Amino acid sequence: MLPSSTSLWQFLERQVAAVLASYGYREIRMPILEMTELFKRSIGEVTDIVEKEMYTFEDRNGESLTLRPEGTAGCVRAGMEHGLLHNQIQRLWYQGPMFRHERPQKGRYRQFHQIGVETYGMQGPDIDAEVILLSARIWRALGISDLELQVNTLGTPRERADYRDELVRYFEAHSDQLDDDSQRRLRTNPLRILDSKNPAMRPMLDGAPTLMGHLGEASRAHFAFVCEILERAEVSYVVNPRLVRGLDYYSRTVFEWVTDKLGAQGTVCAGGRYDGLVEQLGGKSVPAVGFAMGLERLVALLETLDPAAAKVSTDLYLVLLGDTAMREGLIVAEQLRNGLPGVEVLCNCGGGGMKAQFKRADRSGARYALVLGDDEIANNTIVVKPLRTDEQQVAITRDDVVEQLRGRLQGDADQSAEKM
Ligand code: HAM
């Protein structure tokens, strides 16, 4: 990520952090390396991630470590180790790089970044609804308006096992239409066949039985509650019975936010409930719900929108002519930063003639150049030259410069607010 794109990243991270804070979520920072076993036991041995995408190696003690492919497993591991999960309510979030050895393409990278949310200790559908509403608010805060929310329920492990049997029977009856990958999945992870992107299999998949028919009363009520809250909060959604997710730990609610603006890699955020995972990893049973969003994909979306709030440029550029000005300039810049908190002041360093320095000032995007040369130092003044308007430059007494600039910068800000 080069400096030309990091302002957009910072905008994204700022907006998301503010929304998360407004819902009372607390940040957790987890290590990037974990024991390989953790991911095998949580994500599932026969998932794409564990079978072929992990960056796994032995350390000097011969222990197998893996660069985390996602954050949920590590969050549960850390939560268990530090007593955050049992008999407690937690609303957590994290951000950072994740690693998957996938085939790189637009929107899919081997190192990518997520902001994730994980909640613990809440059994009811209210928290499922809350995390979805929270994600919807994040899109509003970012100015992203045309994502599609897809939701589904995977039922309980028991309900899913019943369904799995029926599904396997259906696929066996249509085995001539299964591609090689699906033939293999038929034995290992038949639900994932539903997720296949192979267009030749579409008609057969469209006719496959759905899980809805195998749901018990409690699972139905759970899902109905989530849907009701989404409707009441005016968050539109579609129920996608084929949404199964690529990680094994989910139960009941699953969801994805999808865009058609990014080509094949259109899922910008995904998650759901994973009640069985804590127990599966050796803890006492703790209900859990979470999601993670892919920051590269969101940044790519934001690039198509070009949000003004993400733009950063310098406010003031100090042009320093001569040796005395070079010394004095650093002190003036400090005084400006003391008096004008939040204002970006770039002090010319590295010398250069007037022309070169004005070129740098222009390239920095500064609104004003402040010029200090021998004359100004002798008169105790500084020249303020607007760079983005036709206004004339003026010489201002050094003692008044902070006050004057405060007024001008405020005036500029008011004007641009009026325009919006
Ligand atoms: P996931 O669906 O594997 O879920 O990833 C979540 C999001 O990360 C995806 O929707 C996508 O935006 C982004 N993503 C995944 N792989 C890549 C990649 N190779 N390049 C760029 N972006 C990518 C999880 O990771 C779960 N831990 C989410 C979760 C949290 N479920 C419950 N809690």
Side-chain angles (χ1 to χ4, degrees):
M1 268 88 75
L2 299 173
S4 53
S5 72
T6 44
S7 60
L8 209 49
W9 280 80
Q10 287 169 354
F11 166 72
L12 169 63
E13 288 158 3
R14 254 194 331 269
Q15 298 297 95
V16 176
V19 173
L20 289 165
S22 77
Y23 282 73
Y25 285 62
R26 304 282 177 247
E27 187 184 3
I28 178 167
R29 300 191 180 189
M30 296 158 329
I32 288 170
L33 278 178
E34 296 276 358
M35 300 290 217
T36 303
E37 203 45 34
L38 174 70
F39 301 115
K40 289 194 175 165
R41 286 171 61 195
S42 54
I43 296 169
E45 294 263 11
V46 290
T47 56
D48 283 351
I49 296 181
V50 170
E51 277 186 338
K52 44 189 188 200
E53 295 172 1
M54 295 204 302
Y55 283 90
T56 298
F57 60 95
E58 278 189 7
D59 72 2
R60 284 166 194 274
N61 302 330
E63 264 174 324
S64 182
L65 303 181
T66 293
L67 286 172
R68 62 181 182 194
E70 56 105 51
T72 308
C75 191
V76 170
R77 197 268 313 139
M80 280 164 52
E81 215 167 291
H82 298 281
L84 302 183
L85 304 188
H86 183 48
N87 270 340
Q88 293 187 54
I89 298 257
Q90 295 287 356
R91 289 176 166 89
L92 307 174
W93 71 274
Y94 53 84
Q95 72 174 323
M98 309 290 162
F99 304 83
R100 297 184 193 176
H101 195 273
E102 297 190 85
R103 194 169 55 79
Q105 53 180 276
K106 183 169 179 272
R108 190 200 268 168
Y109 308 99
R110 289 181 172 172
Q111 173 173 335
F112 60 98
H113 297 77
Q114 287 184 342
I115 293 184
V117 155
E118 313 292 352
T119 70
Y120 299 98
M122 293 162 277
Q123 211 165 24
D126 43 5
I127 188 67
D128 310 39
E130 180 182 283
V131 300
I132 300 177
L133 297 181
L134 162 80
S135 57
R137 186 175 297 275
I138 289 175
W139 317 139
R140 290 201 294 277
L142 294 171
I144 296 174
S145 58
D146 45 6
L147 296 179
E148 179 179 83
L149 170 62
Q150 302 186 356
V151 295
N152 190 22
T153 174
L154 299 180
T156 61
R158 183 67 201 270
E159 289 156 357
R160 207 157 54 246
D162 276 358
Y163 170 59
R164 188 186 146 115
D165 292 344
E166 190 191 346
L167 198 61
V168 168
R169 282 196 296 278
Y170 175 84
F171 286 141
E172 278 169 352
H174 296 83
S175 67
D176 53 327
Q177 296 172 48
L178 294 177
D179 58 18
D180 289 349
D181 214 26
S182 303
Q183 293 282 2
R184 197 177 49 84
R185 282 184 167 147
L186 187 57
R187 285 180 301 279
T188 55
N189 200 347
L191 261 70
R192 285 284 284 161
I193 298 177
L194 294 172
D195 218 22
S196 166
K197 305 281 183 289
N198 182 349
M201 285 174 40
R202 255 306 90 200
M204 185 273 292
L205 292 178
D206 286 342
T210 67
L211 180 72
M212 291 290 175
H214 293 264
L215 293 182
E217 194 47 47
S219 285
R220 272 175 211 278
H222 192 102
F223 191 54
F225 183 105
V226 175
C227 295
E228 181 197 325
I229 298 298
L230 294 179
E231 275 154 35
R232 289 197 48 196
E234 297 179 20
V235 173
S236 9
Y237 65 93
V238 291
V239 177
N240 175 3
R242 311 259 171 269
L243 183 66
V244 290
R245 309 279 301 121
L247 306 93
D248 275 358
Y249 47 60
Y250 292 103
S251 57
R252 292 201 165 147
T253 318
V254 287
F255 64 95
E256 292 192 356
W257 287 93
V258 186
T259 173
D260 56 11
K261 301 244 154 40
L262 298 178
Q265 306 304 318
T267 306
V268 295
C269 173
R273 180 169 278 279
Y274 54 99
D275 288 347
L277 184 58
V278 180
E279 198 173 7
Q280 199 176 308
L281 291 176
K284 290 225 170 69
S285 170
V286 172
V289 183
F291 66 79
M293 52 196 132
L295 303 192
E296 281 75 7
R297 295 183 190 177
L298 287 168
V299 167
L301 255 189
L302 288 174
E303 272 165 359
T304 66
L305 300 173
D306 198 24
K311 299 235 162 27
V312 288
S313 56
T314 302
D315 299 301
L316 308 175
Y317 193 101
L318 264 81
V319 172
L320 308 173
L321 307 169
D323 282 353
T324 319
M326 194 168 110
R327 288 194 175 77
E328 202 57 22
L330 286 163
I331 307 303
V332 174
E334 288 301 304
Q335 288 165 347
L336 290 167
R337 294 185 189 107
N338 288 343
L340 301 168
V343 170
E344 190 178 301
V345 182
L346 257 186
C347 181
N348 187 76
C349 288
M354 172 127 85
K355 209 169 149 201
Q357 291 195 39
F358 267 103
K359 212 167 170 184
R360 287 178 205 157
D362 189 46
R363 237 187 261 145
S364 75
R367 282 181 282 167
Y368 298 94
L370 308 183
V371 189
L372 204 59
D374 290 342
D375 286 353
E376 286 76 24
I377 288 169
N379 304 335
N380 200 32
T381 58
I382 196 159
V383 169
V384 176
K385 180 175 165 58
L387 295 177
R388 310 289 153 199
T389 63
D390 300 334
E391 261 178 282
Q392 287 299 306
Q393 64 180 47
V394 283
I396 295 171
T397 316
R398 280 265 288 274
D399 294 340
D400 293 342
V401 75
V402 165
E403 260 335 291
Q404 280 264 354
L405 284 168
R406 183 179 293 130
R408 279 172 177 255
L409 292 167
Q410 188 54 50
D412 294 351
D414 291 347
Q415 262 184 11
S416 63
E418 263 169 38
K419 274 193 210 137
M420 284 169 73

